[in-house]
Amino acid sequence: RTCERADTKCFLKHFVSAFWRDEPMNLTRKTYSTRSEKTVDFIIGFIGWFVLNSALGGVSYLVSNLLIMLPLDVNRALSPVLPYVSLALACIPFLVNVGLIILFAFTRYWIALGALAAFAAVLVVIICLALIWGAVCFALLASYSASMSP
């Protein structure tokens, strides 16, 4: 099954149809003919990573809050299961991210590179914020200890 055009809509249509009909997926690598196709796929991967992880985080937050707000008798009955549900909610985004990056690495590698670039950008921002936070805490602690000395 090939599309007349090699675009994301066609890819998603075949992905969903193969998934629901139990047909084997066609994991052939896309050949990019122009630079704009690569750019579009990279942007799809970059923005898609943020959209996907925002949605997964929102669902995880919603489910965990719904579990906390259960009535007390139901919450007591489910209390042995809640740590496992929490662990599953924490692991699902990791598995989805790794699985999609592997899938796109074999089929549309510029989407996978966009997702990896989004992850790297978030990692750089977090490291910079951690360094700023550490410097602020160090300065506050140094000023506090200087004011306490006789």
Side-chain angles (χ1 to χ4, degrees), residues 85-106:
V85 172
S86 175
L87 180 64
L89 287 174
C91 289
I92 286 174
F94 174 73
L95 295 173
V96 169
N97 279 305
V98 170
L100 285 177
I101 287 174
I102 291 171
L103 171 73
F104 286 126
F106 286 117

Side-chain angles (χ1 to χ4, degrees), residues 4-24:
E4 295 80 33
R5 303 175 315 176
D7 61 355
T8 306
K9 186 176 180 181
C10 183
F11 174 77
L12 289 174
K13 183 179 89 174
H14 289 302
F15 177 76
V16 170
S17 68
F19 181 73
W20 291 110
R21 292 187 199 165
D22 294 330
E23 295 176 4

Side-chain angles (χ1 to χ4, degrees), residues 20-142:
W20 291 110
R21 292 187 199 165
D22 294 330
E23 295 176 4
M25 284 184 54
N26 186 12
L27 292 176
T28 58
R29 183 170 286 217
K30 177 183 178 188
T31 54
Y32 294 97
S33 58
T34 62
R35 184 173 177 85
S36 65
E37 288 179 348
K38 294 177 185 178
T39 305
V40 167
D41 274 1
F42 185 85
I43 291 170
I44 288 171
F46 190 84
I47 294 173
W49 187 87
F50 289 106
V51 170
L52 174 73
N53 284 297
S54 296
L56 288 174
V59 168
S60 176
Y61 179 77
L62 180 69
V63 169
S64 63
N65 280 339
L66 287 175
L67 287 174
I68 290 171
M69 289 190 218
L70 289 173
L72 192 57
D73 55 342
V74 176
N75 204 352
R76 279 191 196 131
L78 289 178
S79 63
V81 180
L82 288 179
Y84 299 112
V85 172
S86 175
L87 180 64
L89 287 174
C91 289
I92 286 174
F94 174 73
L95 295 173
V96 169
N97 279 305
V98 170
L100 285 177
I101 287 174
I102 291 171
L103 171 73
F104 286 126
F106 286 117
T107 56
R108 302 190 53 177
Y109 52 92
W110 281 98
I111 292 178
L113 286 174
L116 288 173
F119 181 76
V122 168
L123 185 63
V124 167
V125 168
I126 288 173
I127 289 173
C128 290
L129 289 174
L131 290 173
I132 291 169
W133 180 256
V136 167
C137 288
F138 181 75
L140 289 175
L141 195 62

